[in-house]
Amino acid sequence: MAKTGTTTQGLRAAIERSGYYPTLVAEAVQAAVGGEPVVSYLVHQETTFDANEVRRHVTVLVLTGTRFIVSHTDEQAADATSPSPYATTSTESVKLGRISSVVLSRVVANPESYTPGQLPREVVLTIGWGAVARLDLEPASCGDPNCEADHGYTGSSTADDLSLRVSEAGDGPDSVRETLAFAQALSEATAATVSSR
């Protein structure tokens, strides 16, 4: 379930509609947003299956005029550290100028008959700002099949701070539309930040 919009009241209502510890989630998000007006937001709840457990979590993305805010809340079963179930909420506030990439991958059925405006079957929104990067390394070679010299390593570094998958089958067509709208708002905001430097 994803909800998007442009007001603080709408953000609070979307968090409440998600039904996932709304008081806890809303307080954490509001503390991170502070007094800034909300430009756009996306609330995405996801259920995952972990061995014999069903676990839920919610991700709230908020765009203000100067920042991108990510809030993530997970629930945990009782364990050795806690005799009762508990939830963990974290928020991160990123200046728009730090966002290095906004990647939107679209999966479209029957691409040969695609028409403009057709809703993708699923979308994956990946946002990078340099907090987390994936490094893929492999041994380097010179191309000589008989060479036994050590040429070191070659590889690539990929920003991978946040990745959010939304599908029409699992989340509904409105969630896909809302994710597309948020991705566009964030892309436009980061482009405006770059051009104003």
Side-chain angles (χ1 to χ4, degrees), residues 15-164:
I15 291 170
E16 288 176 3
R17 277 192 307 274
S18 79
Y20 186 82
Y21 308 119
T23 305
L24 173 66
V25 172
E27 180 180 49
V29 171
Q30 183 56 48
V33 171
E36 272 193 273
V38 172
V39 173
S40 186
Y41 62 83
L42 179 68
V43 178
H44 183 257
Q45 183 182 330
E46 188 173 9
T47 302
T48 57
F49 300 94
D50 184 17
N52 296 328
E53 294 181 51
V54 175
R55 294 181 56 190
R56 300 177 304 154
H57 54 97
V58 68
T59 302
V60 180
L61 309 179
V62 180
L63 175 63
T64 71
T66 61
R67 297 178 298 146
F68 167 65
I69 298 163
V70 180
S71 176
H72 188 80
T73 304
D74 278 307
E75 62 184 0
Q76 307 290 330
D79 58 23
T81 63
S82 176
S84 60
Y86 61 98
T88 304
T89 300
S90 63
T91 57
E92 183 171 2
S93 176
V94 181
K95 290 181 181 180
L96 286 177
R98 285 201 46 219
I99 294 179
S100 55
S101 66
V102 178
V103 180
L104 184 67
S105 300
R106 302 167 188 242
V107 177
V108 177
N110 304 313
E112 69 282 355
S113 60
Y114 177 80
T115 58
Q118 181 180 332
L119 196 63
R121 186 171 68 194
E122 76 177 51
V123 293
V124 178
L125 175 60
T126 304
I127 304 164
W129 58 90
V132 178
R134 184 178 63 241
L135 188 60
D136 296 319
L137 293 175
E138 62 183 40
S141 63
C142 67
D144 178 357
N146 298 320
C147 181
E148 295 181 12
D150 182 357
H151 295 285
Y153 289 88
T154 185
S156 62
S157 176
T158 307
D160 197 16
D161 294 304
L162 173 75
S163 190
L164 189 71

Side-chain angles (χ1 to χ4, degrees), residues 2-4 119 166 168 171-180:
K3 296 292 173 205
T4 190
L119 196 63
V166 179
E168 184 178 20
D171 303 293
D174 287 343
S175 295
V176 174
R177 279 187 202 89
E178 292 159 357
T179 304
L180 291 169

